[in-house]
Amino acid sequence: MKEGLEKYRHVLVITDKKHEEKALRMQRELQNRGKSVQLEVMASLDVLIGKELVSNQPIGRGLIIFGEGTLGIERVAVSAGYSRDDIFIDSSQESRAFCSQCHHITIIGSDESFICENCLQQLEPSEHYSTYHRASLAYPVFKETDGKG
Amino acid sequence: MSNSSKEFPFPFTKDSYAYSNNSILLDPARSVAVSSHYIEEVKLKRNLLNQNHERCFRALPLSLEAQWEVLLLVFKELSTCEPQYFTLEQRGNAYQFTNHLLREVESFSFKDSSSIEVEPLDLAGRHVQEDLIIMGDRHDGLFLEAGQLCFPSNWSLTFVLGMEFKAIHTPVPGITDNRFIEKVERFITRIRPNSAWERKNWSVTITNKLDTPLETYSDWGKLRYNVTEANAGELVNLRVEVQRLYRLPVTNDILFSIHTYLLPLNELISNDEWLKKFYTNVKTLPKEIADYKGISLYKRELMTFLERALTQRKIER
Amino acid sequence: MNDRYVVRVEKMEQVTPTIKAFTLSSNTATLEQFGAGAHLTLHLPMGNRQYSLINNPLDMKNEYKIAVKNLGSEQGGSRYLHEQLEVGDIIEVSGPDNYFPVHLEAQHYLFFAAGIGITPFLSMMSYLSTLGKTFELHYAAPHVENCPFHEEITNKYSKQAYVYLGSREEKRKKLKEALRNRKVGTHVYMCGPKSFMEMLNDSTKELHFPQRVVHEERFRPALVIRDPKPFCVSVNGKDLVFVKENESLLERLRNEGYSIPYACRMGICGSCEVTLCEGEVLHSDSFLTEQEKKSKMLSCVSRGVGDIAIDVEQDGSEK
Ligand code: HEM
Ligand code: FES
Ligand SMILES: [Zn+2]
């Protein structure tokens, strides 16, 4: 079970259809530990429906989100008054890299340098991670020709 | 001595440099300052804002109350502390701020967003040289909720928006050693209403460019390769940020202001004391801090330049 | 923040038989802004007393308003204010400071007050009303005559205010009931006597409220050491250092060659922390938590009582 979930007695799990399997597994695991779980499955994650759901939760609940595009629901949850560490995101999500030159977010498969889809800069992801963007900052890599030698 | 030298907030007090909480309490509490470069820098800020608004201004909706508080705080402070340059008149809820240096008048109704064309923090920032950041003091931490940032030293406002204080500092080497940044955060949360603390941070910039955002790093970053022993005096600038932390009394949030000063080395070395201190501090700078500040690339050239100046001025190393 | 300054008593109103409200102002100075939940410190002949400001922070016309309950004790500050003070008198004050700030990220506020504990909520309620935010007040008092601002509150906040009179048991039941079935985003603020706070704190725990949304006054003001005494310190289990009455531990250690970092020298930044190994310490900082005070001390302000033993970092790194 995810670290930090131990303290909640009730948990709301939101998932898109594609990740339902995973969410169900999480639900069973939590239930085995004596927690009550409300599971909500949407065709795809929808901010308006998500907002309705999260803002009407009783106080003190944990929130787990699975699926593509968790960020929208995460932000409405923070606006609805969740503490940021009451929100848990599926950790197996793909890595997102925030281009420091043009702000575009590229989905990357590894920690190696990559080309920004938008501005075509060669970038290198870093440890600097934003939970607000759910992305790590990618710095430009200078090409050899930029050097003076 | 030039105005730049006279006003320059020389940052080094010791012979070696390490990160520390070097904040001092300001009496009276101030959030901004007006220097002799006011007009050119404010104009530069406005150009940057007009051309790259998304890069230079960001705000979350929750910051709106604090933004209004900052607007009034800054205008009141300017008119009280620099009455020859600024005046503020109030009639009920209606305010009129006059900037005599720029011959401009801003009229607005307090907390009426329809009475101004930009967000309140954006308006306040267009009348000061400082970058202005609002840190929201929330039940789950200290978060960057709004900022007008034109002159950052290699960081991105868009990236750090919505981030927590400690997380913002991740790239700084050794910042979590001995719980340093945690202690700083606690210090900030204990700052009392209406009081302000000031600290200096320093770095080195190639050319006298104030706007060195991470977003344009690929343009200005490569200038670091151009430094030679011969041109260092002209090209290399000591860059000092005077940072102030001000507790907003009404919203209980923190205003973080950054006033950036640049001094070309040719001017710096005309002051023996400064030359010697700068030299010893850079010389003994831990490698990871030198890397972080971007000095390592030209440190050898810089050291040779400073050593020659020391010799010329017959100063012992 | 102003250190110390004087204000004039403009107005006094009898609120209940035992409670008076005072309006303080100045003809010469601009009084500083304050936030909901803030308090003012009054410097009275018998010592310092803190009182919550009760006016609306967004409608502050160069005056501070406080309400004081006469606790009746012979040497008491409240009795002095009730019986000695007159309109036109000058008193010395400092602040305002705020240990009980309102968190604007909350979606809904639950205020719990007992008796004179109502005062911080007066500024909070008028502030939040101006901002158009929702709140409820749950207010317990022995009976109507002893319920400060009862009329004002029930008039102004008829929809938001719940007043509990009746028996102790009944009140407890109702207050607990008020905490039930709350949604995420609710923040709880409480002010009143110790037993009242304990009861509410227990209930919020039973109901699994995250403790970070449960607020009482945050930090006690730091203890000021009035007549500092010399003390003896064993450092890193070897050196013995003697701290005189007119110097701080920090000064002495630095003079002895320990490169302890420091910044504020006021006990608020935590830079000058040292490890406490043994002995009793008068903590005078507003930085360390109660738990931390057991094993740490801030050398700029806190002092040993008699002999103490400490450890300090040897490498002198100031990170
Ligand atoms: C509350 C407002 C503050 C904000 C928004 C802020 C933000 C930042 C940012 C964005 C950076 C650059 C990080 C990067 O490279 O991406 C930075 C660097 C740093 N900050 Fe802060 N900071 C604040 C307050 C402080 C305070 C009060 C201290 C210390 C007492 C501090 C210590 C440092 C240090 C040591 C660095 C590295 C600077 C260098 O070596 O050039 N910061 N800060
Ligand atoms: S120097 Fe700041 S707490 Fe001691
Ligand atoms: Zn890009």
Side-chain angles (χ1 to χ4, degrees), chain C residues 168-196:
Chain C
R168 206 178 143 85
E169 268 321 298
E170 210 173 314
K171 273 189 282 201
R172 281 179 170 250
K173 226 179 94 195
K174 284 187 177 155
L175 290 168
K176 279 190 178 174
E177 208 43 51
L179 281 167
R180 284 189 190 283
N181 300 324
R182 292 301 174 176
K183 278 196 218 162
V184 63
T186 307
H187 280 230
V188 177
Y189 288 75
M190 52 176 97
C191 188
K194 206 167 163 216
S195 60
F196 174 81

Side-chain angles (χ1 to χ4, degrees), chain B residues 19 21 155 165 168-169 171-172 184 199 201 245 256 292-293:
Chain B
Y19 291 140
N21 186 340
W155 54 287
F165 179 78
I168 290 172
H169 286 88
V172 183
V184 173
R199 69 181 290 267
N201 184 47
L245 296 152
F256 180 62
Y292 173 71
K293 290 183 189 279

